[in-house]
Amino acid sequence: MTRISRFAFSADELSIVWEDSSESRLQAIWLRDHCRMPSSRNPDNGQRLLNITDIPANIEIADVTLRDDLLQVEFSPGGHLSEFDPEWLYRNCYDRNAPHDDRSETGKFLWHGLSFAQGVPRCAHETCANEAQARLAALRAVRDYGFVVIDDVPRESGRLLDVIALFGYVRETNYGRFFDVRTQVDPNNLAYTNLGLGCHFDNPYRDPVPGLQLLHCLESSTEGGESILQDGFLAAKRLRDENPEHFALLSRHWINFRFSDADADLRARAPLIEVNDRDEVIKLRFNNRSIDTILLPPELIESYYPAYRHLAEILERDELQIVFRLQPGQLILFDNTRVLHARKAYSAAGTRHLQGAYSDLDGLYSSLRKLEGAAA
Amino acid sequence: MTRISRFAFSADELSIVWEDSSESRLQAIWLRDHCRMPSSRNPDNGQRLLNITDIPANIEIADVTLRDDLLQVEFSPGGHLSEFDPEWLYRNCYDRNAPHDDRSETGKFLWHGLSFAQGVPRCAHETCANEAQARLAALRAVRDYGFVVIDDVPRESGRLLDVIALFGYVRETNYGRFFDVRTQVDPNNLAYTNLGLGCHFDNPYRDPVPGLQLLHCLESSTEGGESILQDGFLAAKRLRDENPEHFALLSRHWINFRFSDADADLRARAPLIEVNDRDEVIKLRFNNRSIDTILLPPELIESYYPAYRHLAEILERDELQIVFRLQPGQLILFDNTRVLHARKAYSAAGTRHLQGAYSDLDGLYSSLRKLEGAAA
């Protein structure tokens, strides 16, 4: 509990000296807009009950009193009275709290090929389904590392959807609620051949892109076909460290992506590296197969291609990749905005059969926060 | 068919003079990367079969020949030979073709309260389901105006999902595959009261936000409860026209959104106005109820609030809104990244029962392009 040592106010601003000697200066409009009283906020779901236009543009602080450990602020015109818990103000005021972006690189554990010498994050399906603590650990792995391996998912068609039901919802697409990844006759996608696939994200041609992907191994008796994962956030960091101008080119200039077959014509325009307003990486798209005609201004083509090649080269560095053989019954759940996946080519003899599905990150993060709240 | 009048080349660049006297200058790396030969591109789905790193960094043009109306380009090192259809080059080369962003404001019909004096875009459900031309017109209305009214959707629970099946897929969320909008006891959301709701987008606290929303009227016998729609792209344009600095503040600085109840804790960080790399508006978020604590740097608070208030004021202008009473059996399908919705308060007497559902824009745009291709 952080107490207020002293405070002062003018019409425009409230100044607080906290007991740790730090200071806050909070503007009248922000204070009124963040009133926690039941007339301003629904106490059950936090929904704000007033519009910004309900607050007079010339709002001022008329009086401030500290009473029973609550800071009472009276506003003018209108005479609205707000009571603030000092602890809430300390933890939420804009001059001492930076905004958090759960999806950004900040706070994540960035990893490379040697990071998981003690083993990758994993959990047995049954445990994950029945024990909240295990489920919390699995979801935290997706948040922090971008992936988790789930063992012993029953080797039956469609059972990967049971895993999605543990935290969120299926993102159905033109590929179905789930889809089979195996060698097909007349494949509509290179994924359905036995060719190797370089590190890529799925569906960059979709907006919104599916934030989560699952791959569930049903059969694996071919030579080859190993799975590869790579941390795109580390790759982006390497690019920025090695050449900030390359990073800036790929994050500032957008390109078009496209996939077109008999049933679908999907197009999106987006950057290869997406950053937020604080230049933190929040999302990558990379898939050489799906980049549509690159239409940048002529003066940019000469500088964009070396930047694009540089990122592609980083994504081919063995030292950044983990390689493993997905065993029948194993499933990988990964963040399709951060973790790239690839597979090695495999033999025509034997069978390699995976099932894939998509989901969204919002449901996973919501479940994670509720589990954390329950565990706290 | 556009022919080539003459051409010249250096190691770095191919220069073309088209028969309309315009000129193109195309770099060697771009030409090689956009090779259309079956060894470089899958002819069925357009997927690129090579990585950028498969192309030598020192790629040069070794020779160019025009033969049988095809431009043959030989590259070095490696000796790869590409044949380009001049028509394809003319329509796709970067120095004469600007990239298109289907989702951006560019090319849309921006509307206000008097734009639909001849009636809003609408279609009967049965016609839309059975006739490709009618379905195409309905999907074009969503693309161009951001919404369409579908008449005579059977007044049965869940039938709004039939409408989604005409073009795409349901986005299931913590609210279900669809949800009921009517007065509830102990509502977890203000939507489930009889209070009026100002113009807003749904679920700004979700990432990805659902790109499409449907509202299907099952019963409507209350006083009040009229529906309101507003074009957010026009509102953003007004903001930019009236005060470019306000527009820049809202598009450059991101804020946090949140919704939290017993089952979910959804959070997102995003700008109120999202623009692409060419500063075209592509997506809005606005919902006073769901804006979380605003944590901008102190020096920005003073300038951000007037910009936020300005946008809110524009969104309250009656002249920009269309007001209508959704009749039982009617459904509105609208772009939740562009078109805001609102409702007037309604009486406790009588019943107002809507069902809502979400979908994504990618499926709708894909279906639209396939229908356009079939109609062409």
Side-chain angles (χ1 to χ4, degrees), chain B residues 106-142:
Chain B
T106 305
K108 307 286 191 201
F109 180 92
L110 305 189
W111 51 267
H112 53 71
L114 300 176
S115 297
F116 300 107
Q118 310 300 315
V120 298
R122 66 197 310 145
C123 179
H125 179 241
E126 188 95 354
T127 317
C128 198
N130 296 325
E131 297 174 21
Q133 274 302 326
R135 196 155 62 253
L136 175 56
L139 301 186
R140 277 182 172 150
V142 177

mmCIF file of all heavy atoms in Angstrom, chain B residues 106-142:
data_model
loop_
_atom_site.group_PDB
_atom_site.id
_atom_site.type_symbol
_atom_site.label_atom_id
_atom_site.label_comp_id
_atom_site.label_asym_id
_atom_site.label_seq_id
_atom_site.Cartn_x
_atom_site.Cartn_y
_atom_site.Cartn_z
ATOM 1 N N THR B 106 -9.354 4.257 -49.570
ATOM 2 C CA THR B 106 -9.233 4.591 -50.990
ATOM 3 C C THR B 106 -10.156 3.700 -51.828
ATOM 4 O O THR B 106 -10.106 2.479 -51.724
ATOM 5 C CB THR B 106 -7.770 4.401 -51.443
ATOM 6 O OG1 THR B 106 -6.935 5.170 -50.585
ATOM 7 C CG2 THR B 106 -7.582 4.819 -52.884
ATOM 8 N N GLY B 107 -10.992 4.333 -52.627
ATOM 9 C CA GLY B 107 -11.895 3.582 -53.492
ATOM 10 C C GLY B 107 -13.235 3.256 -52.852
ATOM 11 O O GLY B 107 -14.132 2.731 -53.520
ATOM 12 N N LYS B 108 -13.394 3.556 -51.569
ATOM 13 C CA LYS B 108 -14.683 3.312 -50.917
ATOM 14 C C LYS B 108 -15.632 4.484 -51.202
ATOM 15 O O LYS B 108 -15.200 5.608 -51.469
ATOM 16 C CB LYS B 108 -14.512 3.212 -49.392
ATOM 17 C CG LYS B 108 -13.480 2.232 -48.894
ATOM 18 C CD LYS B 108 -13.927 0.803 -49.032
ATOM 19 C CE LYS B 108 -12.976 -0.130 -48.284
ATOM 20 N NZ LYS B 108 -13.075 -1.510 -48.780
ATOM 21 N N PHE B 109 -16.928 4.230 -51.078
ATOM 22 C CA PHE B 109 -17.927 5.296 -51.124
ATOM 23 C C PHE B 109 -18.181 5.735 -49.686
ATOM 24 O O PHE B 109 -18.729 4.975 -48.894
ATOM 25 C CB PHE B 109 -19.214 4.769 -51.767
ATOM 26 C CG PHE B 109 -20.295 5.809 -51.857
ATOM 27 C CD1 PHE B 109 -20.430 6.601 -52.991
ATOM 28 C CD2 PHE B 109 -21.179 6.013 -50.794
ATOM 29 C CE1 PHE B 109 -21.428 7.571 -53.058
ATOM 30 C CE2 PHE B 109 -22.175 6.979 -50.863
ATOM 31 C CZ PHE B 109 -22.298 7.761 -51.995
ATOM 32 N N LEU B 110 -17.734 6.952 -49.348
ATOM 33 C CA LEU B 110 -17.933 7.443 -47.978
ATOM 34 C C LEU B 110 -19.305 8.109 -47.895
ATOM 35 O O LEU B 110 -19.690 8.869 -48.779
ATOM 36 C CB LEU B 110 -16.828 8.428 -47.594
ATOM 37 C CG LEU B 110 -15.383 7.914 -47.744
ATOM 38 C CD1 LEU B 110 -14.397 8.898 -47.118
ATOM 39 C CD2 LEU B 110 -15.201 6.539 -47.129
ATOM 40 N N TRP B 111 -20.052 7.827 -46.840
ATOM 41 C CA TRP B 111 -21.447 8.284 -46.785
ATOM 42 C C TRP B 111 -21.769 8.995 -45.473
ATOM 43 O O TRP B 111 -21.084 8.850 -44.470
ATOM 44 C CB TRP B 111 -22.401 7.106 -47.006
ATOM 45 C CG TRP B 111 -22.150 5.910 -46.127
ATOM 46 C CD1 TRP B 111 -21.374 4.819 -46.439
ATOM 47 C CD2 TRP B 111 -22.667 5.665 -44.813
ATOM 48 N NE1 TRP B 111 -21.383 3.923 -45.391
ATOM 49 C CE2 TRP B 111 -22.168 4.411 -44.380
ATOM 50 C CE3 TRP B 111 -23.507 6.379 -43.954
ATOM 51 C CZ2 TRP B 111 -22.478 3.859 -43.133
ATOM 52 C CZ3 TRP B 111 -23.823 5.830 -42.705
ATOM 53 C CH2 TRP B 111 -23.312 4.581 -42.311
ATOM 54 N N HIS B 112 -22.867 9.769 -45.548
ATOM 55 C CA HIS B 112 -23.357 10.487 -44.368
ATOM 56 C C HIS B 112 -24.867 10.285 -44.283
ATOM 57 O O HIS B 112 -25.435 9.461 -45.017
ATOM 58 C CB HIS B 112 -22.976 11.966 -44.456
ATOM 59 C CG HIS B 112 -23.403 12.607 -45.734
ATOM 60 N ND1 HIS B 112 -24.718 12.876 -46.032
ATOM 61 C CD2 HIS B 112 -22.686 12.981 -46.830
ATOM 62 C CE1 HIS B 112 -24.798 13.427 -47.232
ATOM 63 N NE2 HIS B 112 -23.576 13.482 -47.744
ATOM 64 N N GLY B 113 -25.522 11.049 -43.417
ATOM 65 C CA GLY B 113 -26.933 10.806 -43.114
ATOM 66 C C GLY B 113 -27.889 10.965 -44.283
ATOM 67 O O GLY B 113 -28.996 10.414 -44.258
ATOM 68 N N LEU B 114 -27.486 11.709 -45.308
ATOM 69 C CA LEU B 114 -28.399 11.943 -46.432
ATOM 70 C C LEU B 114 -28.006 11.138 -47.666
ATOM 71 O O LEU B 114 -28.604 11.301 -48.732
ATOM 72 C CB LEU B 114 -28.416 13.443 -46.783
ATOM 73 C CG LEU B 114 -28.866 14.372 -45.649
ATOM 74 C CD1 LEU B 114 -28.760 15.839 -46.081
ATOM 75 C CD2 LEU B 114 -30.308 14.046 -45.221
ATOM 76 N N SER B 115 -27.020 10.283 -47.537
ATOM 77 C CA SER B 115 -26.487 9.583 -48.721
ATOM 78 C C SER B 115 -27.447 8.539 -49.280
ATOM 79 O O SER B 115 -27.354 8.167 -50.439
ATOM 80 C CB SER B 115 -25.163 8.892 -48.381
ATOM 81 O OG SER B 115 -24.181 9.824 -48.024
ATOM 82 N N PHE B 116 -28.362 8.045 -48.430
ATOM 83 C CA PHE B 116 -29.205 6.928 -48.867
ATOM 84 C C PHE B 116 -30.663 7.338 -48.990
ATOM 85 O O PHE B 116 -31.566 6.599 -48.596
ATOM 86 C CB PHE B 116 -29.031 5.732 -47.925
ATOM 87 C CG PHE B 116 -27.623 5.223 -47.863
ATOM 88 C CD1 PHE B 116 -26.837 5.440 -46.735
ATOM 89 C CD2 PHE B 116 -27.059 4.560 -48.946
ATOM 90 C CE1 PHE B 116 -25.526 4.977 -46.674
ATOM 91 C CE2 PHE B 116 -25.744 4.102 -48.894
ATOM 92 C CZ PHE B 116 -24.979 4.308 -47.764
ATOM 93 N N ALA B 117 -30.879 8.544 -49.557
ATOM 94 C CA ALA B 117 -32.251 9.026 -49.740
ATOM 95 C C ALA B 117 -33.030 8.036 -50.615
ATOM 96 O O ALA B 117 -34.242 7.871 -50.468
ATOM 97 C CB ALA B 117 -32.235 10.416 -50.370
ATOM 98 N N GLN B 118 -32.335 7.351 -51.508
ATOM 99 C CA GLN B 118 -32.989 6.367 -52.384
ATOM 100 C C GLN B 118 -33.076 4.990 -51.723
ATOM 101 O O GLN B 118 -33.483 4.019 -52.356
ATOM 102 C CB GLN B 118 -32.229 6.235 -53.706
ATOM 103 C CG GLN B 118 -31.918 7.540 -54.422
ATOM 104 C CD GLN B 118 -33.166 8.316 -54.780
ATOM 105 O OE1 GLN B 118 -34.131 7.734 -55.281
ATOM 106 N NE2 GLN B 118 -33.175 9.618 -54.501
ATOM 107 N N GLY B 119 -32.674 4.917 -50.462
ATOM 108 C CA GLY B 119 -32.721 3.632 -49.755
ATOM 109 C C GLY B 119 -31.334 3.067 -49.528
ATOM 110 O O GLY B 119 -30.424 3.282 -50.333
ATOM 111 N N VAL B 120 -31.197 2.336 -48.445
ATOM 112 C CA VAL B 120 -29.901 1.741 -48.117
ATOM 113 C C VAL B 120 -29.693 0.483 -48.962
ATOM 114 O O VAL B 120 -30.649 -0.081 -49.493
ATOM 115 C CB VAL B 120 -29.830 1.374 -46.618
ATOM 116 C CG1 VAL B 120 -29.957 2.627 -45.756
ATOM 117 C CG2 VAL B 120 -30.875 0.337 -46.253
ATOM 118 N N PRO B 121 -28.427 0.047 -49.107
ATOM 119 C CA PRO B 121 -28.182 -1.196 -49.831
ATOM 120 C C PRO B 121 -28.885 -2.356 -49.130
ATOM 121 O O PRO B 121 -28.741 -2.522 -47.924
ATOM 122 C CB PRO B 121 -26.658 -1.376 -49.761
ATOM 123 C CG PRO B 121 -26.098 -0.177 -49.079
ATOM 124 C CD PRO B 121 -27.203 0.660 -48.570
ATOM 125 N N ARG B 122 -29.652 -3.137 -49.868
ATOM 126 C CA ARG B 122 -30.393 -4.232 -49.242
ATOM 127 C C ARG B 122 -30.620 -5.355 -50.227
ATOM 128 O O ARG B 122 -30.511 -5.196 -51.433
ATOM 129 C CB ARG B 122 -31.713 -3.738 -48.663
ATOM 130 C CG ARG B 122 -32.719 -3.241 -49.698
ATOM 131 C CD ARG B 122 -33.809 -2.408 -49.039
ATOM 132 N NE ARG B 122 -34.373 -3.092 -47.891
ATOM 133 C CZ ARG B 122 -34.790 -2.453 -46.785
ATOM 134 N NH1 ARG B 122 -34.691 -1.133 -46.709
ATOM 135 N NH2 ARG B 122 -35.312 -3.127 -45.795
ATOM 136 N N CYS B 123 -30.955 -6.501 -49.683
ATOM 137 C CA CYS B 123 -31.138 -7.689 -50.505
ATOM 138 C C CYS B 123 -32.011 -8.656 -49.716
ATOM 139 O O CYS B 123 -31.917 -8.728 -48.490
ATOM 140 C CB CYS B 123 -29.765 -8.314 -50.776
ATOM 141 S SG CYS B 123 -29.834 -9.811 -51.768
ATOM 142 N N ALA B 124 -32.886 -9.382 -50.390
ATOM 143 C CA ALA B 124 -33.682 -10.400 -49.698
ATOM 144 C C ALA B 124 -32.804 -11.636 -49.467
ATOM 145 O O ALA B 124 -32.001 -12.009 -50.327
ATOM 146 C CB ALA B 124 -34.904 -10.777 -50.516
ATOM 147 N N HIS B 125 -32.966 -12.254 -48.307
ATOM 148 C CA HIS B 125 -32.122 -13.390 -47.937
ATOM 149 C C HIS B 125 -32.179 -14.507 -48.966
ATOM 150 O O HIS B 125 -31.153 -15.042 -49.407
ATOM 151 C CB HIS B 125 -32.549 -13.904 -46.555
ATOM 152 C CG HIS B 125 -31.754 -15.085 -46.105
ATOM 153 N ND1 HIS B 125 -32.324 -16.306 -45.842
ATOM 154 C CD2 HIS B 125 -30.430 -15.238 -45.908
ATOM 155 C CE1 HIS B 125 -31.378 -17.155 -45.481
ATOM 156 N NE2 HIS B 125 -30.229 -16.534 -45.502
ATOM 157 N N GLU B 126 -33.368 -14.853 -49.379
ATOM 158 C CA GLU B 126 -33.579 -15.951 -50.336
ATOM 159 C C GLU B 126 -32.860 -15.668 -51.660
ATOM 160 O O GLU B 126 -32.176 -16.531 -52.214
ATOM 161 C CB GLU B 126 -35.095 -16.081 -50.570
ATOM 162 C CG GLU B 126 -35.503 -17.279 -51.371
ATOM 163 C CD GLU B 126 -35.889 -18.456 -50.484
ATOM 164 O OE1 GLU B 126 -35.718 -18.354 -49.250
ATOM 165 O OE2 GLU B 126 -36.340 -19.469 -51.044
ATOM 166 N N THR B 127 -33.002 -14.442 -52.141
ATOM 167 C CA THR B 127 -32.354 -14.046 -53.390
ATOM 168 C C THR B 127 -30.839 -14.111 -53.241
ATOM 169 O O THR B 127 -30.114 -14.613 -54.115
ATOM 170 C CB THR B 127 -32.761 -12.597 -53.751
ATOM 171 O OG1 THR B 127 -34.159 -12.450 -53.526
ATOM 172 C CG2 THR B 127 -32.441 -12.281 -55.190
ATOM 173 N N CYS B 128 -30.376 -13.588 -52.130
ATOM 174 C CA CYS B 128 -28.940 -13.554 -51.859
ATOM 175 C C CYS B 128 -28.372 -14.985 -51.810
ATOM 176 O O CYS B 128 -27.257 -15.245 -52.263
ATOM 177 C CB CYS B 128 -28.743 -12.838 -50.533
ATOM 178 S SG CYS B 128 -27.090 -12.241 -50.247
ATOM 179 N N ALA B 129 -29.161 -15.895 -51.262
ATOM 180 C CA ALA B 129 -28.712 -17.282 -51.123
ATOM 181 C C ALA B 129 -28.700 -18.001 -52.470
ATOM 182 O O ALA B 129 -27.841 -18.849 -52.723
ATOM 183 C CB ALA B 129 -29.611 -18.026 -50.134
ATOM 184 N N ASN B 130 -29.638 -17.662 -53.350
ATOM 185 C CA ASN B 130 -29.820 -18.451 -54.574
ATOM 186 C C ASN B 130 -29.230 -17.840 -55.832
ATOM 187 O O ASN B 130 -29.027 -18.539 -56.815
ATOM 188 C CB ASN B 130 -31.313 -18.706 -54.813
ATOM 189 C CG ASN B 130 -31.907 -19.559 -53.702
ATOM 190 O OD1 ASN B 130 -31.221 -20.439 -53.181
ATOM 191 N ND2 ASN B 130 -33.143 -19.292 -53.333
ATOM 192 N N GLU B 131 -28.972 -16.535 -55.816
ATOM 193 C CA GLU B 131 -28.522 -15.892 -57.050
ATOM 194 C C GLU B 131 -27.151 -15.260 -56.852
ATOM 195 O O GLU B 131 -26.989 -14.367 -56.012
ATOM 196 C CB GLU B 131 -29.528 -14.833 -57.492
ATOM 197 C CG GLU B 131 -30.891 -15.440 -57.831
ATOM 198 C CD GLU B 131 -31.941 -14.376 -58.139
ATOM 199 O OE1 GLU B 131 -31.550 -13.237 -58.487
ATOM 200 O OE2 GLU B 131 -33.131 -14.683 -58.002
ATOM 201 N N ALA B 132 -26.195 -15.730 -57.654
ATOM 202 C CA ALA B 132 -24.819 -15.244 -57.506
ATOM 203 C C ALA B 132 -24.739 -13.736 -57.718
ATOM 204 O O ALA B 132 -24.001 -13.047 -57.015
ATOM 205 C CB ALA B 132 -23.895 -15.984 -58.482
ATOM 206 N N GLN B 133 -25.494 -13.212 -58.674
ATOM 207 C CA GLN B 133 -25.419 -11.774 -58.948
ATOM 208 C C GLN B 133 -25.895 -10.960 -57.745
ATOM 209 O O GLN B 133 -25.329 -9.914 -57.411
ATOM 210 C CB GLN B 133 -26.254 -11.406 -60.184
ATOM 211 C CG GLN B 133 -25.516 -11.561 -61.504
ATOM 212 C CD GLN B 133 -24.227 -10.719 -61.574
ATOM 213 O OE1 GLN B 133 -24.152 -9.627 -61.032
ATOM 214 N NE2 GLN B 133 -23.209 -11.261 -62.224
ATOM 215 N N ALA B 134 -26.955 -11.436 -57.098
ATOM 216 C CA ALA B 134 -27.477 -10.728 -55.929
ATOM 217 C C ALA B 134 -26.487 -10.823 -54.777
ATOM 218 O O ALA B 134 -26.265 -9.849 -54.044
ATOM 219 C CB ALA B 134 -28.826 -11.323 -55.518
ATOM 220 N N ARG B 135 -25.872 -11.987 -54.635
ATOM 221 C CA ARG B 135 -24.887 -12.161 -53.563
ATOM 222 C C ARG B 135 -23.682 -11.251 -53.811
ATOM 223 O O ARG B 135 -23.181 -10.595 -52.897
ATOM 224 C CB ARG B 135 -24.464 -13.629 -53.490
ATOM 225 C CG ARG B 135 -23.755 -13.990 -52.209
ATOM 226 C CD ARG B 135 -23.882 -15.466 -51.862
ATOM 227 N NE ARG B 135 -23.299 -16.366 -52.834
ATOM 228 C CZ ARG B 135 -23.975 -17.137 -53.672
ATOM 229 N NH1 ARG B 135 -25.317 -17.126 -53.685
ATOM 230 N NH2 ARG B 135 -23.369 -17.938 -54.519
ATOM 231 N N LEU B 136 -23.262 -11.185 -55.080
ATOM 232 C CA LEU B 136 -22.161 -10.298 -55.444
ATOM 233 C C LEU B 136 -22.503 -8.849 -55.088
ATOM 234 O O LEU B 136 -21.679 -8.124 -54.513
ATOM 235 C CB LEU B 136 -21.872 -10.444 -56.948
ATOM 236 C CG LEU B 136 -20.829 -9.527 -57.567
ATOM 237 C CD1 LEU B 136 -19.484 -9.634 -56.849
ATOM 238 C CD2 LEU B 136 -20.641 -9.854 -59.057
ATOM 239 N N ALA B 137 -23.719 -8.424 -55.400
ATOM 240 C CA ALA B 137 -24.121 -7.039 -55.101
ATOM 241 C C ALA B 137 -24.100 -6.779 -53.598
ATOM 242 O O ALA B 137 -23.674 -5.711 -53.144
ATOM 243 C CB ALA B 137 -25.517 -6.763 -55.677
ATOM 244 N N ALA B 138 -24.548 -7.756 -52.819
ATOM 245 C CA ALA B 138 -24.570 -7.587 -51.359
ATOM 246 C C ALA B 138 -23.149 -7.482 -50.809
ATOM 247 O O ALA B 138 -22.857 -6.623 -49.961
ATOM 248 C CB ALA B 138 -25.313 -8.755 -50.710
ATOM 249 N N LEU B 139 -22.245 -8.328 -51.300
ATOM 250 C CA LEU B 139 -20.866 -8.296 -50.802
ATOM 251 C C LEU B 139 -20.161 -7.018 -51.251
ATOM 252 O O LEU B 139 -19.364 -6.437 -50.515
ATOM 253 C CB LEU B 139 -20.092 -9.540 -51.260
ATOM 254 C CG LEU B 139 -20.675 -10.892 -50.811
ATOM 255 C CD1 LEU B 139 -19.733 -12.036 -51.195
ATOM 256 C CD2 LEU B 139 -20.971 -10.933 -49.318
ATOM 257 N N ARG B 140 -20.485 -6.571 -52.469
ATOM 258 C CA ARG B 140 -19.921 -5.293 -52.930
ATOM 259 C C ARG B 140 -20.395 -4.134 -52.052
ATOM 260 O O ARG B 140 -19.648 -3.184 -51.804
ATOM 261 C CB ARG B 140 -20.328 -5.024 -54.382
ATOM 262 C CG ARG B 140 -19.445 -5.716 -55.385
ATOM 263 C CD ARG B 140 -19.883 -5.350 -56.809
ATOM 264 N NE ARG B 140 -18.936 -5.854 -57.790
ATOM 265 C CZ ARG B 140 -19.265 -6.206 -59.036
ATOM 266 N NH1 ARG B 140 -20.535 -6.109 -59.445
ATOM 267 N NH2 ARG B 140 -18.355 -6.642 -59.874
ATOM 268 N N ALA B 141 -21.643 -4.199 -51.599
ATOM 269 C CA ALA B 141 -22.151 -3.143 -50.715
ATOM 270 C C ALA B 141 -21.324 -3.094 -49.429
ATOM 271 O O ALA B 141 -20.980 -2.020 -48.941
ATOM 272 C CB ALA B 141 -23.627 -3.367 -50.402
ATOM 273 N N VAL B 142 -20.987 -4.270 -48.892
ATOM 274 C CA VAL B 142 -20.162 -4.288 -47.670
ATOM 275 C C VAL B 142 -18.781 -3.707 -47.967
ATOM 276 O O VAL B 142 -18.237 -2.935 -47.177
ATOM 277 C CB VAL B 142 -20.047 -5.720 -47.098
ATOM 278 C CG1 VAL B 142 -19.134 -5.738 -45.878
ATOM 279 C CG2 VAL B 142 -21.427 -6.265 -46.737
#
